[in-house]
């Protein structure tokens, strides 16, 4: 088995690897890493408003890949973490991760900002894997809170 490019026993390293996996210039992403970062039964949930009403799309790993691959194929996309809070209790962890989405990592102005709410499970070997992730973006009337 090939060594992982991150320490799976370190929650912060898992979160960093998740951001690195989806960020990059136009073209394919390293989807083999997705199965190392996310639990096989993990769910990723995008939320938004349509006509002022909350909406959600719940995706497994294959659904998420199918959803984002056309966009990533033709667009540079960098999700850059700007704040993080980690809470751990036993074999579960919760990470509040504020982000900015950009077309280049050094863009001074992001396209959007939001929060990823990420839940992780610690497996028997000490490895942390994302079990669920839900996110929402800033919009009029909804701004990122202060992280402290």
């Amino acid at each position: 088995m090939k060594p992982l490019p991150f320490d799976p026993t370190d929650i912060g390293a898992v979160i960093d690897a998740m951001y690195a996996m989806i960020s990059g210039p136009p073209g394919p992403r390293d989807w083999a890493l997705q199965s190392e970062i996310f639990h096989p039964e993990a769910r990723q949930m995008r939320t938004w408003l349509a006509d002022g009403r909350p909406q959600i799309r719940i995706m497994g790993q294959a659904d998420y890949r199918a959803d984002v691959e056309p966009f990533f194929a033709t667009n540079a996309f960098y999700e850059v973490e700007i704040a993080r809070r980690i809470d751990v209790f036993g074999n579960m962890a919760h990470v509040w991760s504020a982000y900015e989405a950009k077309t280049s990592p050094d863009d001074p102005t992001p396209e959007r900002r939001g929060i990823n709410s990420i839940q992780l499970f610690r497996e028997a070997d000490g490895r942390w894997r994302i079990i669920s992730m839900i996110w929402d973006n800033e919009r009029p009337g909804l701004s990122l809170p202060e992280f402290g």
Side-chain angles (χ1 to χ4, degrees), residues 34-45 58-64 118-121 123 129-134:
Q34 183 187 36
S35 63
E36 299 294 342
I37 296 167
F38 288 85
H39 186 278
E41 298 297 320
R43 295 293 177 259
Q44 292 175 264
M45 297 158 277
I58 302 171
M59 300 167 276
Q61 290 182 44
D63 295 329
Y64 178 78
I118 306 164
Q119 295 74 46
L120 299 96
F121 171 71
E123 297 179 338
R129 285 178 133 176
I130 297 172
I131 191 76
S132 68
M133 186 168 136
I134 186 169

Side-chain angles (χ1 to χ4, degrees), residues 47-117:
T47 67
W48 70 96
L49 293 180
D51 298 322
R53 298 176 57 94
Q55 306 292 313
I56 190 167
R57 174 142 190 219
I58 302 171
M59 300 167 276
Q61 290 182 44
D63 295 329
Y64 178 78
R65 280 192 310 272
D67 186 62
V68 298
E69 277 181 323
F71 176 81
F72 289 160
T74 57
N75 295 279
F77 177 80
Y78 295 86
E79 199 163 271
V80 179
E81 187 178 54
I82 56 173
R84 177 187 295 170
R85 187 177 78 219
I86 300 173
D87 295 308
V88 179
F89 184 78
N91 294 313
M92 61 182 182
H94 181 247
V95 179
W96 286 105
S97 178
Y99 62 83
E100 294 180 335
K102 303 176 173 192
T103 55
S104 167
D106 2 332
D107 280 349
T109 306
E111 292 180 352
R112 65 185 170 275
R113 298 177 351 143
I115 291 184
N116 287 314
S117 171

